[in-house]
Amino acid sequence: MRSRWLCFGLAAPSAAADGPWNAGPAQYGVSSAQAQRVKMSDGVELAVDVYVPTDPATGQPATGPFPVVVSETPYDRPCHR
């Protein structure tokens, strides 16, 4: 019985063509953690820290729509008991 292998290769764009990528200056800062409790539909409350983008000049929350990043951990956070 004969086997046939089909291979697909993905070509990643090369940074070498345009030179290395360099980050520009930061457009926003980040607030200190704001501890919150969020009640789930089953009644369980989760302790969360909320960080928001800030205006670097004033330190106040920045205006505009921003993406949300969610990070979870199974470990307890004793400071939120």
Side-chain angles (χ1 to χ4, degrees):
M1 192 165 155
R2 231 172 169 195
S3 296
R4 291 186 187 195
W5 293 88
L6 183 59
C7 296
F8 293 97
L10 299 175
S14 173
D18 298 327
W21 179 82
N22 293 309
Q27 296 178 347
Y28 300 101
V30 179
S31 69
S32 298
Q34 301 169 18
Q36 302 285 325
R37 296 193 75 77
V38 178
K39 187 178 256 186
M40 301 290 104
S41 60
D42 62 358
V44 172
E45 286 190 359
L46 300 180
V48 300
D49 289 333
V50 178
Y51 298 87
V52 297
T54 59
D55 181 330
T58 65
Q60 297 300 311
T63 58
F66 295 99
V68 174
V69 177
V70 177
S71 177
E72 300 176 28
T73 179
Y75 302 107
D76 189 24
R77 295 176 25 215
C79 60
H80 291 284
R81 285 187 181 166

